[in-house]
Amino acid sequence: MKLAQALGANALADKDPLPPHLREQLLARDPLFVASHWLLAGAAMVGVIVALATVRPWGARVPRRLLLAITGTLGVFMIARSIGVLGFGFVGDVLLLTGVRPPPVEHASLARDLARWDLLLWSPFFLLWGVCWATAGWRLGRASRVAPVRRCESSTR
């Protein structure tokens, strides 16, 4: 999505949980936001490579501790974001939508709309993503503790 937005698409750009002044900059394609989308698209591509390194044979050349640190950190970060530890997430959205935590007066309607989108789309997405990263790290850690299996090469006849 960030790559599409960096290239000019507005896919879900109006649903990003941002304060109104930042949303306006995002929708106006402010150079800072375009640059940040290119950086995030690049980070996603690096993430794909890291994810593949946890399951592909060529990933054995990457230090396991580094891969474990990256997958664990990303898993914790994504799950914390989905729960609401980082401001947005299930807890914060429910508190806002039930009125326990009042939205900012200057943009209450927008805050409720974004909380609904976050509750139904972004938070579940980050939870799933975080669980996938944590699972990849867990499997990698388990595989690292098991001695590698040596294959017997069959000779040609």
Side-chain angles (χ1 to χ4, degrees):
M1 183 181 81
K2 295 298 182 189
L3 179 60
Q5 290 175 349
L7 291 170
N10 280 333
L12 296 173
D14 61 333
K15 304 304 180 209
D16 274 344
L18 296 170
H21 70 283
L22 293 178
R23 286 170 50 88
E24 290 170 14
Q25 289 178 346
L26 173 65
L27 294 172
R29 300 203 34 84
D30 179 78
L32 178 64
F33 276 94
V34 173
S36 71
H37 281 49
W38 279 110
L39 286 172
L40 290 170
M45 288 179 201
V46 170
V48 168
I49 293 168
V50 169
L52 287 172
T54 67
V55 295
R56 304 303 296 166
W58 54 262
R61 288 184 242 144
V62 180
R64 288 290 181 228
R65 287 184 185 202
L66 177 62
L67 286 177
L68 285 169
I70 292 171
T71 57
T73 301
L74 288 172
V76 168
F77 176 75
M78 301 285 177
I79 292 169
R81 191 275 182 218
S82 73
I83 293 170
V85 176
L86 305 175
F88 293 102
F90 294 119
V91 173
D93 296 333
V94 168
L95 290 176
L96 190 134
L97 291 171
T98 58
V100 173
R101 187 182 80 198
V105 177
E106 62 275 7
H107 56 277
S109 176
L110 175 63
R112 283 189 202 92
D113 185 43
L114 293 177
R116 277 188 219 87
W117 272 97
D118 192 67
L119 186 63
L120 298 173
L121 177 66
W122 301 122
S123 291
F125 174 75
F126 275 97
L127 179 61
L128 177 63
W129 202 3
V131 168
C132 287
W133 278 115
T135 302
W138 175 76
R139 288 189 68 212
L140 180 67
R142 242 179 110 210
S144 296
R145 288 189 289 273
V146 177
V149 177
R150 296 181 186 212
R151 295 182 187 167
C152 296
E153 298 294 325
S154 62
S155 60
T156 58
R157 293 183 189 171

